[in-house]
Amino acid sequence: MKQTKTLKVRVKDKHAAHLGRMARSVNFVWNYLNELSARATREKGLFLSAYDMDRYTKGAGKDLGLHSQTLQEVSREYATRRKQFRKTRLAWRKSRGVRRSLGWVPFKSGAAKWKNGQIFFNGQHFKVWDSFGLSQYKFRSGSFNEDARGRWCFNVVVEVEVQPSTGQGQVGIDLGLKDVATCSDGVKLENGRFYRDLADKLATAQRARNKRRVKALHAKIKNRRKDALHKFSRRLVDQHGEIVVGDVSSTRLAKTRMAKSVLDAGWGQLKTMLEYKCDHAGIVFREVREAYTTRTCSLCGSLSGPQGVNGLRVRDWECAECGVLHDRDVNAARNILSLGAGRCPPAVGITSL
């Protein structure tokens, strides 16, 4: 069975200057399309499509040092984002200053190729740290992207052969702050393990206003979090045939006092990983409404658990109906699993005998 997958490899730093020049040209094209689209809407009442905008940028690639397919891809991306955000004008891409946009150079299928052990694109060879064996893949669309430290990566979509998961059974997952994820079988992914030993170093660098050191530490924390989430999600996909997750919204909670803890936990990233890995492995992924799952007894269905803000401190509680002692998060994960299996929702409860 074949599936598409995005591979990401690091481009060697000696190409950063050249890629930076291309990225500034991409920003120029984006801003030109931004103004062109706004004027067309204001003066003629027209929303220009990507095909319409291509006519205005045709032939500019040679002067700007860009591949013709890059110009087309910028037009397509601009039209897609304008429709997504429902605006006649989007944010400008800035090439300089503290709020500058990170470099981005897109390309379409066939524009980039593997040649002589390097990536050949727009008449230039780019050396990379090839950790995937890129020579065995046929490149489709992709992009060169810059991170906050000025390092560049090559991202490309390829077709890979995947094997269906041999995992059996179901698992429910409750997302939280004390533990990033708690499974219905009691397995937990602890929060804070990504950055606990780096917190003091990060605070020292921030007080010293050492921006380079701060960026490096943030990148290290990000890589640790990503590695832990990848390993955790991969283990779940390999061991189970169905995964059910609560619908807690990290976007909404990021606007509250819990913003730092929520963003550190990486809920959204974990759900994204689980979703695409389940899709590749051919197993079921479900997201269910998790209201009352913490307070409802997973055994008898009675609504007797701790409630309110003060109740958040209670990590273990005893059911008033059946007397079973519950771990708060494991109990919630079991209720989420029941919802995924189509059983009675916790808000209604299950009549005890």
Side-chain angles (χ1 to χ4, degrees), residues 81-92:
R81 298 308 162 205
R82 186 189 57 191
K83 182 178 180 180
Q84 176 186 354
F85 296 109
R86 300 180 181 179
K87 291 184 177 181
T88 58
R89 174 181 285 177
L90 300 179
W92 303 102

Side-chain angles (χ1 to χ4, degrees), residues 179-246:
D179 297 299
V180 175
T182 303
C183 299
S184 53
D185 56 4
V187 176
K188 298 184 179 184
L189 177 62
E190 182 186 355
N191 195 1
R193 58 182 289 185
F194 319 124
Y195 60 87
R196 190 167 293 154
D197 60 325
L198 297 176
D200 292 338
K201 295 179 181 179
L202 181 60
T204 301
Q206 288 173 332
R207 286 194 296 268
R209 299 188 177 183
N210 187 340
K211 294 183 180 180
R212 177 176 291 185
R213 181 60 175 160
V214 169
K215 288 181 179 179
L217 288 171
H218 274 304
K220 193 169 187 176
I221 292 170
K222 176 184 175 182
N223 290 337
R224 284 187 179 183
R225 180 191 299 112
K226 195 172 181 180
D227 179 67
L229 295 180
H230 266 304
K231 290 177 179 177
F232 182 74
S233 58
R234 173 49 56 192
R235 187 165 62 249
L236 290 177
V237 170
D238 288 342
Q239 294 177 354
H240 301 90
E242 182 176 349
I243 298 176
V244 186
V245 184

